Amino acid sequence: MEKLYRIEKDFLGEKEIELNKYYGIQTLRAKENFDITKTDISLFPSFIKSLAKVKKACALTNFELGDLTDIQKDAIIQACNEIIDGKFHNQFIVDPIQGGAGTSTNMNANEVIANRALEILGKPKSSYEFIHPNNHINMSQSTNDVYPTAIKLTLHELIFKLKDSLRFLRDCFEEKSIEFKDVLKMGRTQLQDAVPMTLGQEFKTFAVMIDDDIYRLRNVQALLKEVNLGATAIGTGINTKATYQRKVISNLREVTGVDYVSAGDLIEATQDTGSFVHISGMLKSIAIKISKICNDLRLLSSGPRAGFNEINLPPLQPGSSIMPGKVNPVMPEVVNQVAFEVIGADMTIAMASEGGQLQLNVFEPLIAYKLFTSINMMRRAFYSLGEKCVKGITANEDVCMENILNSVTLVTCLNPILGYEKSSAIAKEALKTNKRVYDILLEQELFTKEQLDELLKPENMVNNFIKDTK
């Protein structure tokens, strides 16, 4: 009977590997050892592609230095290009959370690239005397420089995608701000009536908040362009030639089209995960702000009969298994939960970074997993919030105006005319008699109806600056 497996050996023993698999013995050991998330690193295709780009840059450099033959280089480059194009991702099977500071991930890439390169050369898988995962694919490298460099390449790309989702959400709020520019409503502080504003101003604020974070993300991305590729084990560049480090960074720029630079101190860069902590903090800040916006949407749409009821969110699904006709604000709610997850991930990343010891942080797999997961969840959540919620929001203009007319603080707008003492007396009477300020002003003949209506025009109420008469 024909064998359906091949035998691979390492210094711990040997393993049977299915013939159709491109990974090898070290990947299989990691798969057996780390069954944590019930997923594998192929969950993050951008990361797989980043690993292949790093390996491609290293192979080009090793060839330039005379350490790979033309045949070896061409086969390795073709294998890397195929992975960059999205092929063989199902061969990346190790759990994202793993011991060994990412060595299992690095070896997974080394073995897949080696066996695919051997196949390209017409050689059987595991014919490592021709192309070896460690000796050729991992030449002049260590997990400790390959892995964090691949993380940074991935984050650089994912942040572009995150910014796209934020721009989409910002534009959704911007469009609503224009649509609602003439809808007068009551502003609130501490959940108490404050002074009038427009619903358009309220939604414009949401857009501006998001736009601020898009700008800040550009600055965060700059941190990711400094990498430690060429540092190898601890940053001393052991097992590399003198010109390797400079050449590999040049090749990385060529492969990626991004102007990556070498860290100023490779020993520092190999152990320092501060840039990841900073990025995580930025993600947390964005999540908090978007969650606050979602809180506001839920409040403004609350009711509909016994709440604010100033806006209507699109009804997406029945909201109760027992209360007929109930519809819940499910999209803001789910985005709130994504925000909580991101906030929690930030604490995890902080602890993982703090837990690093001496020349290496062994917890980078957890840091990468949390950063990638947070960004992907945020992207999906922001698109969903914009498309399924914000775009379909409508205003209850009559409710908004009625709230203004019923509010005691309406008298604040007339402070410059009536003075604080008179305004306070009117507010007190309104509270005591449960009358509207509007009606009291007319009853006391402080204004004619025409004068009062002019003073309470939307453009006068929301831009109520005292004119300079000097």
Side-chain angles (χ1 to χ4, degrees):
M1 184 176 178
E2 185 180 1
K3 288 184 178 180
L4 299 178
Y5 59 87
R6 65 187 193 271
I7 303 294
E8 285 199 12
K9 299 178 181 180
D10 61 15
F11 69 88
L12 294 178
E14 60 181 39
K15 287 276 185 183
E16 294 180 352
I17 311 291
E18 292 180 42
L19 284 177
N20 64 336
K21 303 303 184 185
Y22 289 85
Y23 54 79
I25 187 170
Q26 293 201 46
T27 301
L28 185 57
R29 288 193 189 281
K31 181 67 175 177
E32 293 170 348
N33 289 334
F34 309 123
D35 185 23
I36 307 301
T37 66
K38 294 295 181 182
T39 60
D40 52 53
I41 57 173
S42 63
L43 179 66
F44 307 111
S46 295
F47 185 45
I48 305 303
K49 294 177 182 180
S50 294
L51 285 165
K53 290 174 184 177
V54 172
K55 295 296 177 180
K56 180 179 178 180
C58 294
L60 289 169
T61 306
N62 287 320
F63 171 72
E64 291 171 7
L65 294 173
D67 295 321
L68 290 177
T69 67
D70 275 308
I71 293 174
Q72 289 171 327
K73 182 262 296 182
D74 289 345
I76 293 170
I77 296 304
Q78 181 178 332
C80 290
N81 284 339
E82 289 174 347
I83 294 170
I84 293 167
D85 289 339
K87 298 178 182 178
F88 306 108
H89 284 209
N90 62 346
Q91 300 299 302
F92 288 79
I93 62 167
V94 299
D95 198 288
I97 299 180
Q98 55 194 250
T103 297
S104 297
T105 294
N106 186 34
M107 286 309 303
N108 196 163
N110 290 333
E111 290 175 341
V112 172
I113 294 169
N115 281 308
R116 175 54 186 150
L118 288 169
E119 188 175 62
I120 291 167
L121 295 179
K123 307 292 183 182
K125 296 184 184 71
S126 303
S127 302
Y128 294 146
E129 65 270 25
F130 299 103
I131 295 180
H132 193 281
N134 297 82
N135 297 338
H136 299 108
I137 310 302
N138 201 62
M139 182 186 293
S140 306
Q141 301 156 57
S142 164
T143 295
N144 303 345
D145 63 342
V146 166
Y147 191 74
T149 297
I151 293 173
K152 288 188 174 183
L153 265 62
T154 306
L155 289 172
H156 191 267
E157 179 181 338
L158 289 180
I159 288 175
F160 275 118
K161 295 178 179 180
L162 178 61
K163 288 193 293 187
D164 286 342
S165 69
L166 283 167
R167 288 189 189 98
F168 174 76
L169 184 57
R170 175 203 63 195
D171 291 347
C172 290
F173 281 116
E174 188 73 46
E175 290 166 9
K176 285 297 168 181
S177 75
I178 296 170
E179 180 182 339
F180 298 149
K181 65 183 176 64
D182 295 325
V183 179
L184 201 62
K185 59 154 289 174
M186 181 57 64
R188 297 177 180 87
T189 58
Q190 291 128 311
L191 289 180
Q192 308 299 305
D193 295 353
V195 295
M197 65 186 303
T198 68
L199 192 59
Q201 288 174 320
E202 195 159 37
F203 275 69
K204 176 69 174 179
T205 299
F206 299 154
V208 172
M209 289 168 66
I210 295 170
D211 205 42
D212 286 346
D213 284 334
I214 295 171
Y215 175 78
R216 293 189 180 101
L217 279 174
R218 288 201 295 268
N219 297 329
V220 166
Q221 271 182 303
L223 295 173
L224 298 169
K225 292 184 179 180
E226 186 176 282
V227 298
N228 74 327
L229 192 60
T232 65
I234 64 169
T236 61
I238 192 171
N239 290 347
T240 64
K241 291 184 175 179
T243 58
Y244 174 84
Q245 206 268 332
R246 174 177 56 82
K247 287 179 177 292
V248 78
I249 295 296
S250 177
N251 280 317
L252 184 65
R253 287 197 292 266
E254 186 69 26
V255 168
T256 62
V258 179
D259 55 340
Y260 289 104
V261 298
S262 178
D265 186 311
L266 293 177
I267 295 177
E268 179 275 332
T270 302
Q271 63 185 272
D272 182 16
T273 54
S275 61
F276 299 143
V277 174
H278 188 75
I279 290 165
S280 177
M282 186 69 228
L283 297 181
K284 180 177 75 171
S285 175
I286 294 169
I288 288 171
K289 289 169 74 171
I290 301 293
S291 188
K292 186 271 181 191
I293 291 170
C294 287
N295 294 340
D296 289 351
L297 295 179
R298 291 193 293 120
L299 274 175
L300 294 173
S301 64
S302 62
R305 297 293 175 86
F308 285 8
N309 192 30
E310 293 184 346
I311 62 173
N312 305 301
L313 306 185
L316 297 179
Q317 61 189 63
S320 173
S321 61
I322 190 174
M323 293 174 279
K326 190 172 187 290
V327 178
N328 296 328
V330 291
M331 288 315 305
E333 288 174 351
V334 77
V335 176
N336 283 137
Q337 292 173 81
V338 169
F340 305 155
E341 182 74 18
V342 173
I343 294 165
D346 178 66
M347 176 57 73
T348 299
I349 290 165
M351 295 305 297
S353 181
E354 187 275 338
Q357 297 166 326
L358 303 177
Q359 280 68 59
L360 181 67
N361 189 310
V362 300
F363 304 124
E364 283 184 348
L366 178 60
I367 292 173
Y369 177 68
K370 287 297 184 180
L371 286 173
F372 298 163
T373 301
S374 290
I375 293 175
N376 285 335
M377 289 178 65
M378 291 169 77
R379 285 174 47 226
R380 292 190 286 265
F382 298 162
Y383 279 122
S384 295
L385 180 63
E387 186 65 43
K388 297 181 180 181
C389 180
V390 179
K391 280 189 173 184
I393 291 175
T394 58
N396 293 325
E397 297 187 35
D398 292 342
V399 173
C400 290
M401 180 54 74
E402 189 64 21
N403 286 339
I404 288 178
L405 296 177
N406 283 330
S407 174
V408 172
T409 61
L410 181 65
V411 76
T412 302
C413 302
L414 304 175
N415 261 348
I417 300 172
L418 299 176
Y420 187 84
E421 295 298 331
K422 182 64 175 177
S423 296
S424 297
I426 293 170
K428 183 178 180 180
E429 182 176 348
L431 288 170
K432 181 179 179 180
T433 63
N434 202 30
K435 290 182 179 180
R436 300 191 311 177
V437 168
Y438 184 91
D439 295 330
I440 294 173
L441 292 169
L442 292 178
E443 287 175 5
Q444 295 186 6
E445 297 182 352
L446 296 170
F447 302 97
T448 66
K449 187 176 186 306
E450 291 74 17
Q451 290 173 325
L452 192 56
D453 289 341
E454 178 64 25
L455 287 168
L456 299 182
K457 277 185 177 180
E459 58 267 29
N460 292 333
M461 294 194 51
V462 299
N463 297 302
N464 198 15
F465 300 109
I466 300 174
K467 293 182 180 179
D468 188 351
T469 56
K470 293 183 181 179

